Short mmCIF file of all heavy atoms in Angstrom, two decimals:
data_model
loop_
_atom_site.label_atom_id
_atom_site.label_comp_id
_atom_site.label_asym_id
_atom_site.label_seq_id
_atom_site.Cartn_x
_atom_site.Cartn_y
_atom_site.Cartn_z
N ILE A 1 0.96 -1.20 0.01
CA ILE A 1 0.02 -0.05 0.01
C ILE A 1 0.86 1.25 -0.03
O ILE A 1 1.83 1.35 0.84
CB ILE A 1 -0.93 -0.03 1.29
CG1 ILE A 1 -1.86 -1.17 1.13
CG2 ILE A 1 -1.61 1.36 1.44
CD1 ILE A 1 -2.85 -1.11 0.17
N PRO A 2 0.53 2.21 -0.91
CA PRO A 2 1.40 3.52 -0.87
C PRO A 2 1.26 4.20 0.52
O PRO A 2 0.30 4.00 1.26
CB PRO A 2 0.76 4.30 -1.97
CG PRO A 2 -0.65 3.78 -2.18
CD PRO A 2 -0.57 2.25 -1.82
N GLU A 3 2.21 5.05 0.85
CA GLU A 3 2.10 5.83 2.10
C GLU A 3 0.77 6.57 2.17
O GLU A 3 0.35 7.21 1.15
CB GLU A 3 3.28 6.80 2.17
CG GLU A 3 4.63 6.21 2.39
CD GLU A 3 4.79 5.56 3.67
OE1 GLU A 3 4.12 6.07 4.69
OE2 GLU A 3 5.44 4.51 3.77
N VAL A 4 0.17 6.55 3.34
CA VAL A 4 -1.00 7.27 3.54
C VAL A 4 -1.04 8.76 3.20
O VAL A 4 -1.89 9.33 2.58
CB VAL A 4 -1.51 7.19 5.03
CG1 VAL A 4 -2.76 7.94 5.22
CG2 VAL A 4 -1.81 5.66 5.34
N ALA A 5 0.10 9.38 3.53
CA ALA A 5 0.22 10.73 3.28
C ALA A 5 0.24 11.03 1.67
O ALA A 5 -0.34 12.04 1.37
CB ALA A 5 1.49 11.34 3.81
N ASP A 6 0.68 10.09 1.00
CA ASP A 6 0.67 10.34 -0.51
C ASP A 6 -0.89 10.27 -1.00
O ASP A 6 -1.13 11.00 -1.87
CB ASP A 6 1.45 9.25 -1.26
CG ASP A 6 2.96 9.43 -0.96
OD1 ASP A 6 3.44 10.51 -0.58
OD2 ASP A 6 3.75 8.33 -1.14
N SER A 7 -1.59 9.26 -0.43
CA SER A 7 -2.96 9.18 -0.93
C SER A 7 -3.79 10.40 -0.52
O SER A 7 -4.75 10.72 -1.20
CB SER A 7 -3.60 7.92 -0.31
OG SER A 7 -3.73 7.99 1.14
N LEU A 8 -3.39 11.04 0.50
CA LEU A 8 -4.06 12.28 0.93
C LEU A 8 -4.00 13.50 -0.06
O LEU A 8 -4.68 14.40 -0.01
CB LEU A 8 -3.72 12.64 2.30
CG LEU A 8 -4.18 11.78 3.45
CD1 LEU A 8 -3.69 12.36 4.80
CD2 LEU A 8 -5.68 11.78 3.58
N ASP A 9 -2.88 13.45 -0.88
CA ASP A 9 -2.70 14.47 -1.90
C ASP A 9 -3.94 14.53 -2.84
O ASP A 9 -4.02 15.58 -3.53
CB ASP A 9 -1.41 14.28 -2.67
CG ASP A 9 -0.19 14.43 -1.85
OD1 ASP A 9 -0.29 15.18 -0.85
OD2 ASP A 9 0.87 13.94 -2.18
N LEU A 10 -4.70 13.60 -2.98
CA LEU A 10 -5.82 13.53 -3.84
C LEU A 10 -6.96 14.45 -3.31
O LEU A 10 -7.88 14.75 -4.03
CB LEU A 10 -6.45 12.07 -4.03
CG LEU A 10 -5.41 11.04 -4.54
CD1 LEU A 10 -6.06 9.73 -4.49
CD2 LEU A 10 -4.99 11.40 -6.00
N PHE A 11 -6.88 14.79 -2.04
CA PHE A 11 -8.02 15.59 -1.41
C PHE A 11 -7.64 17.08 -1.21
O PHE A 11 -6.45 17.44 -1.09
CB PHE A 11 -8.31 14.99 -0.08
CG PHE A 11 -8.77 13.52 -0.25
CD1 PHE A 11 -8.00 12.51 0.02
CD2 PHE A 11 -10.09 13.20 -0.54
CE1 PHE A 11 -8.25 11.20 -0.10
CE2 PHE A 11 -10.56 11.87 -0.64
CZ PHE A 11 -9.65 10.89 -0.44
N ASN A 12 -8.50 17.94 -1.08
CA ASN A 12 -8.38 19.25 -0.51
C ASN A 12 -8.28 19.20 0.99
O ASN A 12 -9.30 18.90 1.57
CB ASN A 12 -9.54 20.14 -1.08
CG ASN A 12 -9.36 21.55 -0.41
OD1 ASN A 12 -8.43 21.89 0.17
ND2 ASN A 12 -10.35 22.36 -0.73
N THR A 13 -7.14 19.41 1.57
CA THR A 13 -7.07 19.16 3.00
C THR A 13 -7.15 20.39 3.87
O THR A 13 -6.82 20.39 5.03
CB THR A 13 -5.66 18.50 3.26
OG1 THR A 13 -4.65 19.39 2.82
CG2 THR A 13 -5.64 17.12 2.53
N THR A 14 -7.59 21.50 3.18
CA THR A 14 -7.79 22.74 3.99
C THR A 14 -9.07 22.71 4.81
O THR A 14 -10.05 22.22 4.37
CB THR A 14 -7.90 23.95 3.01
OG1 THR A 14 -6.71 23.95 2.15
CG2 THR A 14 -7.98 25.22 3.76
N ILE A 15 -8.97 23.15 6.15
CA ILE A 15 -10.19 23.16 6.84
C ILE A 15 -11.17 23.93 6.28
O ILE A 15 -11.02 25.14 5.91
CB ILE A 15 -9.69 23.53 8.32
CG1 ILE A 15 -10.98 23.30 9.23
CG2 ILE A 15 -9.29 25.00 8.46
CD1 ILE A 15 -10.56 23.52 10.71
N PRO A 16 -12.39 23.46 6.11
CA PRO A 16 -13.48 24.25 5.45
C PRO A 16 -14.00 25.43 6.36
O PRO A 16 -14.08 25.36 7.56
CB PRO A 16 -14.67 23.21 5.43
CG PRO A 16 -14.01 21.82 5.75
CD PRO A 16 -12.83 22.07 6.49
N ASP A 17 -14.19 26.56 5.63
CA ASP A 17 -14.65 27.77 6.29
C ASP A 17 -16.05 27.53 7.03
O ASP A 17 -16.29 28.07 8.07
CB ASP A 17 -14.80 28.88 5.36
CG ASP A 17 -13.51 29.33 4.76
OD1 ASP A 17 -12.50 29.06 5.43
OD2 ASP A 17 -13.47 29.95 3.61
N GLU A 18 -16.82 26.57 6.41
CA GLU A 18 -18.14 26.31 6.97
C GLU A 18 -18.01 25.66 8.40
O GLU A 18 -18.93 25.81 9.28
CB GLU A 18 -18.91 25.29 6.11
CG GLU A 18 -19.34 25.90 4.81
CD GLU A 18 -18.24 25.78 3.78
OE1 GLU A 18 -17.20 25.28 4.05
OE2 GLU A 18 -18.43 26.15 2.59
N LEU A 19 -16.88 24.99 8.59
CA LEU A 19 -16.60 24.41 9.94
C LEU A 19 -16.18 25.39 10.94
O LEU A 19 -16.74 25.59 12.03
CB LEU A 19 -15.54 23.30 9.83
CG LEU A 19 -15.30 22.55 11.06
CD1 LEU A 19 -16.51 21.85 11.61
CD2 LEU A 19 -14.25 21.50 10.79
N THR A 20 -15.18 26.21 10.60
CA THR A 20 -14.54 27.23 11.49
C THR A 20 -15.54 28.29 11.87
O THR A 20 -15.47 28.89 12.84
CB THR A 20 -13.33 27.74 11.03
OG1 THR A 20 -13.54 28.42 9.73
CG2 THR A 20 -12.17 26.59 10.84
N SER A 21 -16.57 28.55 10.95
CA SER A 21 -17.50 29.65 11.26
C SER A 21 -18.71 29.14 11.93
O SER A 21 -19.53 30.03 12.34
CB SER A 21 -17.90 30.33 9.86
OG SER A 21 -18.52 29.36 9.06
N ASP A 22 -18.81 27.95 12.18
CA ASP A 22 -19.94 27.34 12.97
C ASP A 22 -19.90 27.82 14.40
O ASP A 22 -18.84 27.73 14.96
CB ASP A 22 -20.05 25.84 12.80
CG ASP A 22 -21.35 25.20 13.34
OD1 ASP A 22 -21.49 25.34 14.54
OD2 ASP A 22 -22.12 24.75 12.39
N LEU A 23 -21.00 28.13 14.97
CA LEU A 23 -21.08 28.56 16.34
C LEU A 23 -20.62 27.50 17.27
O LEU A 23 -20.14 27.75 18.43
CB LEU A 23 -22.47 29.01 16.70
CG LEU A 23 -22.96 30.30 15.92
CD1 LEU A 23 -24.39 30.70 16.30
CD2 LEU A 23 -22.01 31.57 16.30
N LEU A 24 -20.76 26.24 16.94
CA LEU A 24 -20.41 25.16 17.83
C LEU A 24 -18.97 24.76 17.63
O LEU A 24 -18.52 23.80 18.38
CB LEU A 24 -21.36 23.86 17.48
CG LEU A 24 -22.80 24.03 17.80
CD1 LEU A 24 -23.54 22.73 17.44
CD2 LEU A 24 -23.05 24.43 19.22
N TYR A 25 -18.20 25.52 16.78
CA TYR A 25 -16.87 25.16 16.62
C TYR A 25 -15.90 25.88 17.66
O TYR A 25 -16.17 26.98 17.92
CB TYR A 25 -16.34 25.51 15.17
CG TYR A 25 -14.90 25.27 14.81
CD1 TYR A 25 -14.62 23.93 14.37
CD2 TYR A 25 -13.97 26.16 15.05
CE1 TYR A 25 -13.23 23.65 13.97
CE2 TYR A 25 -12.58 25.87 14.84
CZ TYR A 25 -12.23 24.64 14.21
OH TYR A 25 -11.00 24.36 13.94
N GLY A 26 -14.88 25.11 18.02
CA GLY A 26 -13.89 25.75 18.92
C GLY A 26 -13.91 25.27 20.35
O GLY A 26 -14.95 25.18 20.97
N ALA A 27 -12.66 24.96 20.97
CA ALA A 27 -12.60 24.57 22.27
C ALA A 27 -11.88 25.63 23.15
O ALA A 27 -11.15 26.46 22.48
CB ALA A 27 -11.81 23.25 22.38
N PRO A 28 -11.92 25.61 24.44
CA PRO A 28 -11.16 26.49 25.20
C PRO A 28 -9.63 26.36 25.02
O PRO A 28 -9.27 25.24 24.72
CB PRO A 28 -11.62 26.14 26.63
CG PRO A 28 -12.92 25.49 26.52
CD PRO A 28 -12.95 24.73 25.18
N ASP A 29 -8.91 27.39 25.27
CA ASP A 29 -7.49 27.29 25.27
C ASP A 29 -7.07 26.30 26.45
O ASP A 29 -7.67 26.23 27.44
CB ASP A 29 -6.75 28.57 25.45
CG ASP A 29 -6.95 29.47 24.20
OD1 ASP A 29 -7.14 28.80 23.03
OD2 ASP A 29 -6.88 30.65 24.39
N ASN A 30 -5.92 25.58 26.31
CA ASN A 30 -5.37 24.86 27.37
C ASN A 30 -4.58 25.82 28.34
O ASN A 30 -3.45 26.29 27.97
CB ASN A 30 -4.39 23.84 26.82
CG ASN A 30 -5.17 22.78 26.08
OD1 ASN A 30 -6.28 22.34 26.49
ND2 ASN A 30 -4.51 22.11 25.06
N ASP A 31 -5.19 26.12 29.38
CA ASP A 31 -4.59 27.09 30.40
C ASP A 31 -4.04 26.39 31.51
O ASP A 31 -4.61 25.95 32.52
CB ASP A 31 -5.69 28.03 30.90
CG ASP A 31 -5.12 29.04 31.89
OD1 ASP A 31 -3.92 29.14 32.11
OD2 ASP A 31 -5.99 29.77 32.50
N PHE A 32 -2.69 26.28 31.36
CA PHE A 32 -1.90 25.43 32.43
C PHE A 32 -1.77 26.25 33.75
O PHE A 32 -1.32 25.71 34.74
CB PHE A 32 -0.60 24.96 31.92
CG PHE A 32 -0.70 23.91 30.88
CD1 PHE A 32 -0.56 24.27 29.55
CD2 PHE A 32 -0.98 22.60 31.02
CE1 PHE A 32 -0.59 23.30 28.48
CE2 PHE A 32 -1.13 21.64 30.15
CZ PHE A 32 -0.89 22.13 28.79
N ASN A 33 -2.13 27.48 33.70
CA ASN A 33 -2.13 28.24 34.99
C ASN A 33 -3.56 28.15 35.66
O ASN A 33 -3.66 28.75 36.74
CB ASN A 33 -1.83 29.70 34.75
CG ASN A 33 -0.42 29.89 34.18
OD1 ASN A 33 0.53 29.37 34.73
ND2 ASN A 33 -0.27 30.68 33.05
N CYS A 34 -4.44 27.45 35.20
CA CYS A 34 -5.78 27.32 35.85
C CYS A 34 -5.55 26.65 37.14
O CYS A 34 -4.86 25.72 37.27
CB CYS A 34 -6.62 26.50 34.73
SG CYS A 34 -8.28 26.14 35.43
N LYS A 35 -6.40 27.10 38.10
CA LYS A 35 -6.44 26.47 39.43
C LYS A 35 -7.83 26.11 39.77
O LYS A 35 -8.83 26.68 39.54
CB LYS A 35 -6.01 27.55 40.45
CG LYS A 35 -4.56 28.13 40.24
CD LYS A 35 -3.51 26.98 40.27
CE LYS A 35 -2.11 27.50 40.01
NZ LYS A 35 -1.13 26.40 40.00
N SER A 36 -7.92 24.89 40.43
CA SER A 36 -9.27 24.33 40.74
C SER A 36 -9.07 23.40 41.98
O SER A 36 -7.96 22.77 41.98
CB SER A 36 -9.91 23.63 39.63
OG SER A 36 -11.09 23.03 40.04
N GLU A 37 -10.07 23.16 42.80
CA GLU A 37 -9.91 22.18 43.88
C GLU A 37 -10.16 20.82 43.33
O GLU A 37 -9.90 19.88 43.97
CB GLU A 37 -10.95 22.48 44.95
CG GLU A 37 -10.67 23.79 45.71
CD GLU A 37 -11.85 24.06 46.72
OE1 GLU A 37 -12.77 23.32 46.86
OE2 GLU A 37 -11.56 25.01 47.48
N ARG A 38 -10.72 20.78 42.17
CA ARG A 38 -11.01 19.46 41.36
C ARG A 38 -9.75 19.02 40.55
O ARG A 38 -9.04 19.84 40.10
CB ARG A 38 -12.20 19.48 40.60
CG ARG A 38 -13.44 20.05 41.41
CD ARG A 38 -14.68 19.80 40.49
NE ARG A 38 -15.99 19.99 41.22
CZ ARG A 38 -16.61 21.13 41.11
NH1 ARG A 38 -16.22 22.05 40.40
NH2 ARG A 38 -17.77 21.25 41.79
N ASN A 39 -9.80 17.74 40.34
CA ASN A 39 -8.72 17.30 39.36
C ASN A 39 -8.92 18.02 37.97
O ASN A 39 -10.02 18.17 37.54
CB ASN A 39 -8.85 15.82 39.08
CG ASN A 39 -8.65 14.94 40.24
OD1 ASN A 39 -7.92 15.40 41.25
ND2 ASN A 39 -8.94 13.62 40.22
N PRO A 40 -7.81 18.23 37.32
CA PRO A 40 -7.89 18.68 35.95
C PRO A 40 -8.46 17.53 35.09
O PRO A 40 -8.31 16.44 35.29
CB PRO A 40 -6.45 19.01 35.51
CG PRO A 40 -5.57 18.25 36.53
CD PRO A 40 -6.35 18.17 37.68
N VAL A 41 -9.17 17.95 34.00
CA VAL A 41 -9.87 16.96 33.16
C VAL A 41 -9.33 17.05 31.82
O VAL A 41 -9.35 18.09 31.11
CB VAL A 41 -11.41 17.25 33.09
CG1 VAL A 41 -12.16 16.12 32.19
CG2 VAL A 41 -11.93 17.19 34.56
N VAL A 42 -8.82 15.86 31.26
CA VAL A 42 -8.38 15.77 29.92
C VAL A 42 -9.59 15.24 29.03
O VAL A 42 -10.10 14.11 29.43
CB VAL A 42 -7.20 14.90 29.73
CG1 VAL A 42 -6.85 14.60 28.27
CG2 VAL A 42 -6.02 15.58 30.42
N LEU A 43 -10.04 15.93 27.91
CA LEU A 43 -11.10 15.50 27.10
C LEU A 43 -10.50 14.98 25.76
O LEU A 43 -9.65 15.52 25.18
CB LEU A 43 -12.05 16.62 26.84
CG LEU A 43 -12.85 17.01 28.13
CD1 LEU A 43 -12.22 18.25 28.70
CD2 LEU A 43 -14.29 17.16 27.96
N LEU A 44 -10.96 13.78 25.42
CA LEU A 44 -10.51 13.09 24.20
C LEU A 44 -11.62 12.93 23.14
O LEU A 44 -12.67 12.25 23.44
CB LEU A 44 -9.88 11.77 24.60
CG LEU A 44 -8.75 11.76 25.64
CD1 LEU A 44 -8.42 10.30 25.94
CD2 LEU A 44 -7.58 12.54 25.02
N HIS A 45 -11.43 13.41 21.99
CA HIS A 45 -12.37 13.44 20.84
C HIS A 45 -12.48 11.99 20.25
O HIS A 45 -11.72 11.06 20.53
CB HIS A 45 -12.03 14.36 19.80
CG HIS A 45 -10.74 14.11 19.11
ND1 HIS A 45 -10.62 13.20 18.20
CD2 HIS A 45 -9.61 14.79 19.39
CE1 HIS A 45 -9.26 13.17 17.78
NE2 HIS A 45 -8.57 14.14 18.46
N GLY A 46 -13.51 11.85 19.36
CA GLY A 46 -13.73 10.65 18.74
C GLY A 46 -13.11 10.41 17.34
O GLY A 46 -12.35 11.35 16.87
N LEU A 47 -13.40 9.37 16.60
CA LEU A 47 -12.82 9.03 15.26
C LEU A 47 -13.26 10.15 14.37
O LEU A 47 -14.45 10.54 14.17
CB LEU A 47 -13.45 7.71 14.98
CG LEU A 47 -12.89 7.18 13.49
CD1 LEU A 47 -11.50 6.80 13.57
CD2 LEU A 47 -13.90 6.07 13.03
#
């Protein structure tokens, strides 16, 4: 099988404007100076 990266050249890999302009798009910055009495939480996205 050819390298996966090579096969991706067939696609437009730029992030779509429709996605970045959506109101539901975007996560908070990772603020390592944040303080809380609770454990910090790491969130992991899906496939």
Side-chain angles (χ1 to χ4, degrees):
I1 294 296
E3 290 294 325
V4 173
D6 292 340
S7 67
L8 287 175
D9 288 338
L10 300 174
F11 301 97
N12 177 4
T13 59
T14 304
I15 186 168
D17 292 339
E18 293 83 359
L19 181 59
T20 57
S21 62
D22 192 290
L23 293 177
L24 297 178
Y25 181 85
D29 292 335
N30 291 326
D31 180 6
F32 292 103
N33 294 316
C34 177
K35 301 299 180 184
S36 174
E37 294 180 355
R38 300 186 175 106
N39 290 346
V41 180
V42 170
L43 294 101
L44 302 174
H45 62 77
L47 180 69

